[in-house]
Amino acid sequence: MSFAHLVYVSAYLKRYYPAVFTAALLRNQPMGFYGPHTLVGDARRHGVVVRGVDVNASAAEVTLEKEYHPPECAHPHQPVESQPVIRMGLASVRNLGKEQAKVVAAGRPYADMEDLARRTQLSVPALEALAVAGAFGCFGLTRREALWAAGGLAGVGPGQLAGSTPGLPAPELPAMTPIEETFADLWATGASATSHPIQHLRAELAARRVVPAEALPRLADRAQVRVAGVVTHRQRPPTAGGVVFLSLEDETGLVNVVCPPGTWQRHRKVALDAAALIVHGRLERGEGTTNLIAHRVERLPVATITHSRDFR
């Protein structure tokens, strides 16, 4: 009964207060079945606005901003009321850590990168990770400009005259492409507030007749389809008779993939090692769920550094 109560309460919060629910989960990582990138992506698909790390707006942990947005998406379970904005926290940034994130948050606002470096005494790797995450966009700096400046701020101290650090203005540098920004977000924080790796391949995948996850409920039972996504989980329950279950994630949702023993043995190396896959198989519906019974698996080259949770 207690477990059923927890399930009901969690489902209720996720349905009507997805921003609050997601922020709470993100503030308690690592935990649960899904990682931060999947949680953020699910919130965005339900119409919640998520904003990345910003040294003048982010607290140490994930927060909810007072600005509310009505859900604007086609998801059948989108909330009925406007939701607060989720702001990603500084502690999620690589090379920073919770204590330094608290120091940065306590010193807000900052006039520029030099002001932050002088008052916080962050290491160059921490400044570089913040730059890659886009956290200095509040100063009008692109990620590459901020990354250039991070190296020049090494050794800047409280007693140094403001504006005297040489070499901070970056030469003319090309802006990161959308693909590069997605990879930068994943590298720096483990989650992207604006994009998903698979969405950058959607045109190529569509040409190969690979359907997105959101389209599967509209297809006929036992239809032969191809899906693609980043592998989030690999599971092999002892009672499953050698069947392996995969979870694939694209920009539109999650796909449950069932690999019978024969399929797993034929494609074991690729299915076990690849970060992202294209799976050919047959749709199977039952008790309100849709699964894909795999008969062929191939590697999908995609820029991602997220790690699947395997055989836990």
Side-chain angles (χ1 to χ4, degrees):
M1 290 174 63
S2 62
F3 183 76
H5 179 72
L6 288 174
V7 171
Y8 178 84
V9 170
S10 298
Y12 183 91
L13 291 173
K14 187 179 186 302
R15 174 65 176 84
Y16 294 102
Y17 303 96
V20 174
F21 183 72
T22 302
L25 291 178
L26 291 172
R27 287 175 70 101
N28 288 278
Q29 292 294 313
M31 66 161 289
F33 193 70
Y34 296 108
H37 184 61
T38 299
L39 296 173
V40 169
D42 182 73
R44 291 174 52 234
R45 288 190 293 272
H46 284 79
V48 177
V49 175
V50 183
R51 291 179 179 153
V53 177
D54 185 303
V55 294
N56 272 340
S58 293
E61 300 289 347
V62 175
T63 54
L64 296 172
E65 298 186 342
K66 294 182 179 180
E67 181 182 352
Y68 277 66
H69 284 264
E72 296 180 359
C73 65
H75 200 286
H77 299 148
Q78 70 176 27
V80 295
E81 298 179 353
S82 297
Q83 298 290 311
V85 172
I86 296 176
R87 173 67 71 173
M88 301 301 290
L90 293 163
S92 65
V93 177
R94 179 189 293 253
N95 300 328
L96 199 58
K98 288 188 176 181
E99 294 307 314
Q100 287 187 316
K102 292 178 181 178
V103 170
V104 175
R108 298 174 295 172
Y110 299 98
D112 51 33
M113 272 189 74
E114 186 178 6
D115 179 35
L116 181 143
R118 186 171 61 253
R119 290 200 278 132
T120 62
Q121 293 291 281
L122 292 180
S123 66
V124 171
L127 289 173
E128 289 176 340
L130 285 167
V132 173
F136 298 118
C138 54
F139 304 135
L141 298 173
T142 67
R143 302 190 195 212
R144 285 202 170 104
E145 289 171 339
L147 192 57
W148 175 282
L153 290 170
V156 171
Q160 186 171 335
L161 184 65
S164 62
T165 304
L168 293 188
E172 186 173 344
L173 298 170
M176 287 187 179
T177 65
I179 296 176
E180 290 172 333
E181 287 194 356
T182 300
F183 185 78
D185 286 338
L186 295 175
W187 178 87
T189 67
S192 176
T194 59
S195 58
H196 190 280
I198 299 299
Q199 77 182 61
H200 304 297
L201 303 175
R202 182 51 60 193
E204 175 186 336
L205 292 172
R208 297 186 58 183
R209 298 182 180 179
V210 176
V211 298
E214 66 177 358
L216 296 182
R218 300 190 295 269
L219 300 180
D221 187 25
R222 305 187 68 81
Q224 296 291 327
V225 298
R226 302 172 187 172
V227 299
V230 175
V231 182
T232 63
H233 298 84
R234 296 175 176 90
Q235 302 292 328
R236 184 169 48 204
T239 58
V243 174
V244 178
F245 301 91
L246 306 178
S247 293
L248 298 186
E249 180 188 54
D250 67 12
E251 75 277 23
T252 70
L254 293 163
V255 180
N256 299 318
V257 177
V258 180
C259 287
T263 301
W264 180 256
Q265 290 303 321
R266 288 195 304 274
H267 303 281
R268 177 185 174 88
K269 180 172 178 55
V270 171
L272 192 59
D273 296 339
L277 297 169
I278 295 177
V279 179
H280 307 243
R282 184 187 74 252
L283 284 184
E284 185 176 272
R285 303 190 193 283
E287 300 182 354
T289 64
T290 299
N291 297 316
L292 183 67
I293 311 302
H295 58 73
R296 179 185 168 196
V297 176
E298 60 180 289
R299 187 185 305 271
L300 175 64
V302 62
T304 180
I305 61 167
T306 56
H307 300 290
S308 58
R309 301 184 177 192
D310 298 338
F311 309 115
R312 298 186 182 184

